[in-house]
Amino acid sequence: MTPLTHLAEAAGQKSAEVTDWAGRIGWVAGLLLFIAFVYWLMRQGWKWRGSLQSGLPPLPEVPETPGGAEPARPAVLSMSGRYHGSTTAGQWLDRIVAHGLGVRSRAELTLTDAGISVVRPGANDFLIPAHALREARLDKGIAGKVLTEGGLLVVTWAHGDTLLDSGFRADRAAEHAAWVEALNNLNTASTTEGIAR
């Protein structure tokens, strides 16, 4: 091949296209705006759900710690783990968001004769009073969190006129069975006591 042929071929070939940066930046900006819009819609939906649930009374407060106004009650059981949320009882996708119940967080649970103290760093602490407890069971899912069968401790309790399911997962899932037994025994004892009166 002669040098003239090389030059003729080189002249005939198209040069590589230059990247259209303005177009790419436009697409990226559009995508970011779309993501921001979807996030805004989700946030509005969360606020709307909270306003629909505004009829729920404030959460019962955790009893005072030692040195406070009330003496500490002896713990029956305690557990470290995660709080995964609350739903309307029996409707595992109907998330409750009012009063911070929709916020997932670490949790320290303590069962006393007063009920279950739920202490959550970075979120509202609350008490599930003993008289409000209805049942406890092992389940696999609650409002956007699905685990293996029996991987979730679900506590059903009455809050105002509403029955709630609250989902917890211990750091050591083997602890769940003891909690189910203790809570169901506590519920049976309080029901029997109420009938005896």
Side-chain angles (χ1 to χ4, degrees), residues 13 84 177 180:
Q13 290 178 349
H84 285 292
V180 169

Side-chain angles (χ1 to χ4, degrees), residues 51-69:
S51 67
L52 286 178
Q53 298 166 354
S54 61
L56 281 176
L59 294 171
E61 293 184 6
V62 173
E64 294 289 326
T65 53

Side-chain angles (χ1 to χ4, degrees), residues 24-154:
R24 285 194 180 191
I25 290 171
W27 275 105
V28 170
L31 183 61
L32 290 174
L33 281 172
F34 177 74
I35 291 170
F37 178 67
V38 169
Y39 177 77
W40 179 81
L41 284 177
M42 289 169 57
R43 188 161 176 75
Q44 291 303 108
W46 190 271
K47 285 181 179 178
W48 177 72
R49 182 173 278 276
S51 67
L52 286 178
Q53 298 166 354
S54 61
L56 281 176
L59 294 171
E61 293 184 6
V62 173
E64 294 289 326
T65 53
E70 292 181 30
R73 299 183 183 221
V76 177
L77 282 173
S78 62
M79 174 176 89
S80 293
R82 293 198 66 80
Y83 167 76
H84 285 292
S86 293
T87 64
T88 304
Q91 299 178 29
W92 73 285
L93 291 176
D94 187 20
R95 185 189 297 270
I96 302 294
V97 302
H99 308 300
L101 286 174
V103 179
R104 289 184 183 164
S105 60
R106 291 284 306 161
E108 296 287 332
L109 273 64
T110 306
L111 176 63
T112 67
D113 59 355
I116 304 172
S117 297
V118 183
V119 177
R120 302 188 298 158
N124 298 343
D125 299 341
F126 63 95
L127 175 73
I128 301 175
H131 64 82
L133 288 168
R134 295 298 178 262
E135 71 163 337
R137 68 182 186 280
L138 297 181
D139 213 325
K140 64 179 179 179
I142 193 165
K145 185 65 177 180
V146 179
L147 300 162
T148 57
E149 190 67 48
L152 199 65
L153 169 67
V154 177

Side-chain angles (χ1 to χ4, degrees), residues 14-26:
K14 275 177 102 177
S15 61
E17 289 186 20
V18 178
T19 303
D20 180 12
W21 286 107
R24 285 194 180 191
I25 290 171

